[in-house]
Amino acid sequence: MVMDYMLSEEEQMMIETARTIAVEKMKHVREDYDEKEEFPWEIVKEFAQADLCGVYIPEEYGGFGKGIMGLVLVVEELCKVDGAIALSLAATALGALPIIIAGNEEQKKKYLPDIASGKKLAAFGLTEANAGSDATGMSTVAVKDGDYYVLNGTKCFITNDGDAQTYTIFAKTNPARGARGISCFIVEKGTPCFEFGKKEKKMGIRASSTRELIFNNCKIHKDQLLGKEGHGLMIAQATLDNSRPGVAAQALGIATGALEEAVDYARKRVQFGQTIASFQGIQHMLADMATEIEAARALLYASTRMIDSAKGKRTSKESAMAKLFCSEVAVKVTTNAVQIFGGYGYSREYPVEKMMRDAKITTLYEGTSQIQKNEIALNLIKESATKQTAK
Ligand SMILES: Cc1cc2nc3c(=O)[nH]c(=O)nc-3n(C[C@H](O)[C@H](O)[C@H](O)COP(=O)(O)OP(=O)(O)OC[C@H]3O[C@@H](n4cnc5c(N)ncnc54)[C@H](O)[C@@H]3O)c2cc1C
């Protein structure tokens, strides 16, 4: 029995499609991609063929128009099998959202259809070596020079970096204005003086590429500016409000996959003459894992429905709650899955050690758990102050 979240027929179809790809195309190659730390181009082609790349992109730009809920359902389903391969799709959404949110008609028509069809991947370039949680500390600059901006600086930890063709990049156009001096640009792979730096060697999500982006007097046309000059931070925040449910879905999918593996193993592994599933200690662990996963799913789906119907209103609190809860549950559940497997859980022969490694990143990127808590608390305090003024 599964909980009924009143998903539409189309939503259920998307889940079915994602499940088929995950089981038939991803499951038998996931260890190999992890071991080789190789980008999963063959599987990305499968996503494209199955029309999964554009589920969240509006129909007028070649997508399926199923909003963030569409993205969440697909990412969750794929991540039940592998949280790293599916990231190529989720990180593309992160890179494409600034265009959906702030792009003009011309920019949307130029970039979104190729992303929706899976012909091109996207990436989001905000973080720098000295500007992680505090993105306003960035030192990448974009200096206006006639019809062009000249970009200088280095971004780090960028997902899909080198494999994506379309990059949404944040840079200071007016450093004196601090947070209000940041702007967002679309930069295409192949633009002269735009290069890729060192590739990170990571604990988990090793099938996903994470690299530096280097701009060395890189000239881009002013038509590549997204929204207005100085609106970059607002675009980044609105993007994260929409993209964090994607990370939450990644976490939830990994956790669900780990629980399935743990129940299956517990039913089969015999110690003291009986299956370990018959021990109450193991049963209680499984019960806690299942309950926390379902609570995470309910929170994620409810907040995502709210985000999809927000019509431009900020949903930072709900988005942060979903990401915080789902990612922390994923770390707990995957750690307990390893525990249930005992020593075999620590072996690379079984998938749960990889699930544990892959889960950890969800508490770190797109804002750490501490940053999500800051966001939630800040909104609670604001809401209370607004209520008081209204009285
Ligand atoms: C694999 C991977 C992929 C990534 N992909 C992308 C990407 O595609 N695009 C992109 O732009 N970035 C990406 N990032 C960057 C990621 O978003 C940052 O690493 C993250 O936001 C944290 O920044 P930091 O690493 O500099 O940590 P720091 O900001 O240095 O934080 C260090 C510690 O201090 C805590 N801390 C910081 N500030 C506060 C505070 N105010 N209150 C309480 N605690 C605080 C943090 O929670 C953390 O525990 C990626 C990172 C990784 C590892």
Side-chain angles (χ1 to χ4, degrees), residues 216-231:
N216 191 2
N217 286 324
C218 172
K219 254 178 115 175
I220 52 168
H221 197 268
K222 65 177 178 14
D223 289 351
Q224 301 299 94
L225 174 72
L226 272 173
K228 292 189 179 147
E229 247 191 47
H231 285 193

Side-chain angles (χ1 to χ4, degrees), residues 94 124-129 131-134 156-159 202 205 210 361 364-371 374:
L94 173 66
F124 177 85
L126 181 66
T127 304
E128 295 180 9
S133 299
D134 178 14
C156 69
F157 284 137
I158 309 304
T159 306
K202 306 190 296 288
I205 55 160
T210 315
I361 188 60
L364 299 171
Y365 58 16
E366 295 192 35
T368 62
S369 289
Q370 289 73 30
I371 294 302
N374 289 356

Side-chain angles (χ1 to χ4, degrees), residues 151-391:
L151 260 76
N152 274 294
T154 300
K155 298 285 170 186
C156 69
F157 284 137
I158 309 304
T159 306
N160 279 352
D161 193 350
D163 296 298
Q165 285 79 16
T166 307
Y167 295 79
T168 40
I169 301 297
F170 297 83
K172 283 189 172 160
T173 39
N174 189 346
R177 293 200 74 204
R180 291 202 172 90
I182 297 170
S183 302
C184 182
F185 300 91
I186 307 171
V187 184
E188 291 177 31
K189 184 175 179 174
T191 305
C193 306
F194 167 34
E195 281 166 11
F196 307 112
K198 104 176 140 77
K199 186 176 171 186
E200 294 296 333
K201 285 185 161 281
K202 306 190 296 288
M203 170 200 283
I205 55 160
R206 288 161 48 158
S208 168
S209 50
T210 315
R211 285 196 186 85
E212 283 178 337
L213 288 174
I214 303 163
F215 302 96
N216 191 2
N217 286 324
C218 172
K219 254 178 115 175
I220 52 168
H221 197 268
K222 65 177 178 14
D223 289 351
Q224 301 299 94
L225 174 72
L226 272 173
K228 292 189 179 147
E229 247 191 47
H231 285 193
L233 199 67
M234 280 192 301
I235 297 171
Q237 284 166 340
T239 296
L240 292 170
D241 286 354
N242 284 274
S243 65
R244 282 175 177 159
V247 180
Q250 182 191 21
L252 182 62
I254 297 172
T256 309
L259 174 65
E260 282 168 12
E261 296 286 347
V263 177
D264 191 48
Y265 187 80
R267 279 178 39 246
K268 292 173 185 158
R269 174 73 174 165
V270 174
Q271 288 294 283
F272 300 98
Q274 46 193 315
T275 65
I276 60 166
S278 66
F279 302 136
Q280 199 179 45
I282 297 285
Q283 289 176 0
H284 285 190
M285 277 170 85
L286 292 172
D288 285 343
M289 287 155 80
T291 307
E292 287 182 22
I293 285 175
E294 217 49 66
R297 184 169 289 116
L299 174 61
L300 173 60
Y301 289 4
S303 29
T304 305
R305 293 272 189 227
M306 187 178 167
I307 291 164
D308 276 337
S309 53
K311 296 196 172 76
K313 271 197 215 138
R314 294 292 306 274
T315 51
S316 316
K317 186 179 79 183
E318 294 71 23
S319 167
M321 282 177 167
K323 187 200 178 261
L324 171 68
F325 195 74
C326 291
S327 60
E328 293 293 341
V329 163
V331 169
K332 216 153 95 183
V333 165
T334 53
T335 307
N336 281 338
V338 170
Q339 195 67 25
I340 288 170
F341 271 72
Y344 293 99
Y346 204 69
S347 161
R348 283 199 236 163
E349 213 174 297
Y350 291 91
V352 286
E353 62 82 30
K354 177 182 181 307
M355 289 167 164
M356 183 177 156
R357 288 189 282 110
D358 288 349
K360 184 58 199 166
I361 188 60
T362 63
T363 69
L364 299 171
Y365 58 16
E366 295 192 35
T368 62
S369 289
Q370 289 73 30
I371 294 302
Q372 308 307 320
K373 287 184 189 178
N374 289 356
E375 188 78 58
I376 296 162
L378 197 76
N379 276 282
L380 282 177
I381 295 161
K382 254 199 255 166
E383 283 165 16
S384 166
T386 314
K387 265 190 218 153
Q388 210 148 52
T389 337
K391 271 184 196 163

